[in-house]
Amino acid sequence: ALAFAVVVSLAGLWTWRYITLNRYYDDLDNGSYQLYKTGERVPFEDDGNDLYTDLNGYFIRVDGCETCDYDQYLNDSNFVIAQDENDPDKLVLVYITLINEDCDPNPVSLPNLKLRGVDTPINMDWDILLLANSVLEGNSALALAPGTEQKLVLPYGLWKNSFESSTWRNIDEYTLYLQITSTLTTKEVLLSR
């Protein structure tokens, strides 16, 4: 009975993976996925990272990315945060420039800029987001006047126990993507470090 349950579970997982991979490649063929490089301007156009906001006229440029030790970053930045055992081991800092070329000053929701590895979503560190970007004034979204731009730091937490030991040893070279939009077209930036 246990062997049958294991076989059924494995078959179910294989089927799920087969379907999701086919959907991914279908999206590529249909043009609903676009990949950009670090340094390129990514237009929101009619796509968005928030279903309720018109961001046509906004752009994002990823200026760089680095991985650093969490405690060292707090120390170097003089940030005071109540630390506990759930703090990440490392941070991925993604440096972006948000540009409003000619859009109404609608807010861009920064938490909707998702970071992912090859097969792992990586969560934003809310405390550091607000500390590293005083322009946010305690908000997680930013609206810019037309014709302006703003440099920001997006911090994402990495936990050692979320990765295989071989991946963690080479975490500085781990392939990362920043998802800018998710509807209608998924637009991602391949991060260079």
Side-chain angles (χ1 to χ4, degrees):
L2 178 60
F4 179 74
V6 169
V7 169
V8 169
S9 296
L10 289 174
L13 286 172
W14 182 87
T15 302
W16 172 79
R17 186 66 179 147
Y18 178 81
I19 291 169
T20 57
L21 276 175
N22 280 338
R23 187 177 309 129
Y24 170 77
Y25 286 110
D26 284 344
D27 287 348
L28 288 178
D29 288 341
N30 295 331
S32 60
Y33 178 84
Q34 296 174 5
L35 183 63
Y36 294 81
K37 296 178 185 173
T38 298
E40 291 184 304
R41 283 172 40 133
V42 181
F44 280 95
E45 296 171 322
D46 291 327
D47 306 306
N49 73 346
D50 187 327
L51 295 175
Y52 306 106
T53 303
D54 175 18
L55 299 175
N56 197 353
Y58 268 100
F59 296 82
I60 286 182
R61 184 182 66 233
V62 174
D63 299 319
C65 173
E66 69 176 309
T67 304
C68 61
D69 180 74
Y70 178 80
D71 293 329
Q72 187 66 46
Y73 179 75
L74 289 182
N75 187 46
D76 292 348
S77 303
N78 294 319
F79 292 156
V80 177
I81 296 176
Q83 293 183 275
D84 60 36
E85 68 276 356
N86 294 323
D87 289 336
D89 298 295
K90 291 184 175 273
L91 288 173
V92 175
L93 302 174
V94 180
Y95 302 97
I96 68 164
T97 301
L98 183 62
I99 303 159
N100 183 350
E101 197 167 83
D102 58 2
C103 180
D104 290 336
N106 293 323
V108 175
S109 176
L110 299 176
N112 287 337
L113 300 173
K114 308 284 188 202
L115 186 67
R116 70 171 182 86
V118 175
D119 55 3
T120 306
I122 301 170
N123 295 321
M124 185 174 282
D125 188 305
W126 299 92
D127 293 330
I128 294 181
L129 174 70
L130 299 177
L131 289 170
N133 301 288
S134 59
V135 69
L136 295 177
E137 298 178 346
N139 298 303
S140 63
L142 182 65
L144 298 177
T148 63
E149 61 182 53
Q150 179 66 51
K151 292 190 177 297
L152 298 163
V153 179
L154 305 178
Y156 298 88
L158 297 173
W159 285 263
K160 184 177 182 178
N161 63 2
S162 298
F163 296 90
E164 294 287 331
S165 60
S166 60
T167 303
W168 186 256
R169 281 192 303 272
N170 299 299
I171 200 72
D172 293 343
E173 288 83 38
Y174 185 62
T175 302
L176 294 169
Y177 301 87
L178 184 67
Q179 184 183 64
I180 307 300
T181 65
S182 56
T183 60
L184 304 162
T185 302
T186 299
K187 296 176 183 175
E188 291 187 325
V189 177
L190 174 61
L191 301 182
S192 301
R193 291 185 275 172

